[in-house]
Amino acid sequence: MLDKVECQVHKTKHRNSNAGNLFKCGVGETQAAITPFGELKMCLMIDYPRYNILESSLQDCWERLKELVASIKPDENYQCDRCKVEPYCKWCPAKAWLNDRSFTSCDSESRTRAELMKQCNNVIVEREVENVQKTKIQARDNADQTQP
């Protein structure tokens, strides 16, 4: 079945739980989202928290958001540092939040996609090995034909 699927494998940057930062997208460091109602929030997917920049300053809201993001650390639900498909995964805390209101849980969609990407990668690697072997055989056969 995977023979007929065109796979594009994108390995993610390794998540380093020792660094303590779950967010690899820049939330709370270089980016956030602002709603049409003047509410500063982590990103488009997460409606928590909502700091009103119309009632307070943007600077104050930004500082509060940065502090909140910095305080969110891996907990007992966090599995990425032990997961065999982590290099293929596109998990993010926002997906976890939408799944169960936890920033650290693994959502089934991310896991399934990562498992499929790993399978695709294995098929691609097998095909590359076969191609290299064929090329070597062809080169050897060509060399044999040119020798008297």
Side-chain angles (χ1 to χ4, degrees):
M1 180 175 162
L2 287 174
D3 298 2
K4 298 177 184 176
V5 177
E6 182 178 329
C7 300
Q8 293 181 352
V9 178
H10 302 284
K11 288 192 176 187
T12 60
K13 292 180 182 178
H14 182 70
R15 290 181 186 83
N16 184 354
S17 63
N18 294 332
N21 188 356
L22 293 175
F23 297 88
K24 304 303 177 199
C25 58
V27 164
E29 291 180 18
T30 59
Q31 67 186 39
I34 300 176
T35 71
F37 305 105
E39 297 169 327
L40 181 74
K41 58 185 195 161
M42 289 186 190
C43 73
L44 295 174
M45 291 173 41
I46 303 174
D47 278 337
Y48 165 82
R50 289 184 268 180
Y51 299 122
N52 195 319
I53 63 173
L54 303 176
E55 295 173 2
S56 181
S57 71
L58 176 59
Q59 181 67 33
D60 177 54
C61 293
W62 175 247
E63 292 302 323
R64 290 170 57 199
L65 181 72
K66 284 177 23 178
E67 288 174 17
L68 175 67
V69 170
S71 73
I72 301 171
K73 304 290 184 197
D75 62 15
E76 66 278 353
N77 292 322
Y78 186 73
Q79 303 170 21
C80 295
D81 56 347
R82 300 180 301 275
C83 184
K84 293 180 186 208
V85 295
E86 187 273 336
Y88 307 93
C89 190
K90 298 292 183 188
W91 174 89
C92 79
K95 289 182 181 181
W97 179 260
L98 291 172
N99 188 49
D100 65 3
R101 294 291 191 245
S102 160
F103 287 111
T104 59
S105 64
C106 180
D107 65 286
S108 60
E109 178 186 340
S110 292
R111 177 175 290 282
T112 300
R113 184 180 186 281
E115 288 168 350
L116 289 171
M117 294 306 291
K118 183 177 181 181
Q119 289 175 8
C120 287
N121 187 57
N122 290 342
V123 168
I124 290 169
V125 168
E126 288 171 10
R127 288 181 182 167
E128 288 299 316
V129 168
E130 288 173 9
N131 288 339
V132 167
Q133 289 172 342
K134 287 178 186 177
T135 302
K136 286 181 179 179
I137 291 169
Q138 289 173 348
R140 186 190 66 218
D141 290 348
N142 289 342
D144 289 347
Q145 291 175 0
T146 58
Q147 292 181 1

